[in-house]
Amino acid sequence: MRSLIHKAATATAVAALSIGGVTAMSSPAAAAVGAGSCTRNMADYTAWTDTTVHLRSGPSSGYASLGLLSTDTKVTVMCWRSTTWAYVKVRSGANTGKTGWVSTSYLAVQMNLS
């Protein structure tokens, strides 16, 4: 049940970003890329991975893996790159404290509306 609710919230967040005029950009395939590559600030959103996924050094699968995040790893979404990549801080599991990029396809988002 939680997965369905979070998937709906993820879809809503992605749709809101699309309506907001976020433009997809291509990313370089070399060095690590931080929050400066974000196209939309979305700080303070809690999310969980819905499968095992790589934490990446940049916003594409061409970037190096910083580690694997297991299913249900809690992260804080700091910002988005288009609607396909999120810059996150890991809040649980083996990679706690690390920051990096995760494809939004593998995140279930809980929006903090207060």
Side-chain angles (χ1 to χ4, degrees):
M1 182 66 160
R2 182 179 103 174
S3 180
L4 291 176
I5 293 169
H6 290 110
K7 284 293 186 186
T10 301
T12 302
V14 169
L17 290 174
S18 298
I19 293 168
V22 176
T23 305
M25 300 176 168
S26 60
S27 60
V33 177
S37 289
C38 291
T39 54
R40 179 73 66 176
N41 182 6
M42 298 296 283
D44 299 326
Y45 287 82
T46 301
W48 291 266
T49 57
D50 61 7
T51 189
T52 299
V53 63
H54 288 277
L55 179 68
R56 300 275 180 187
S57 63
S60 87
S61 60
Y63 285 93
S65 176
L66 301 174
L68 284 175
L69 306 180
S70 59
T71 303
D72 288 330
T73 298
K74 186 177 181 179
V75 298
T76 298
V77 176
M78 299 164 72
C79 59
W80 300 81
R81 167 87 176 218
S82 73
T83 57
T84 57
W85 288 89
Y87 188 69
V88 303
K89 183 167 187 172
V90 181
R91 298 294 182 187
S92 68
N95 293 290
T96 299
K98 285 187 180 180
T99 57
W101 295 88
V102 176
S103 171
T104 58
S105 299
Y106 304 110
L107 292 177
V109 176
Q110 174 184 330
M111 299 178 72
N112 299 329
L113 301 175
S114 55

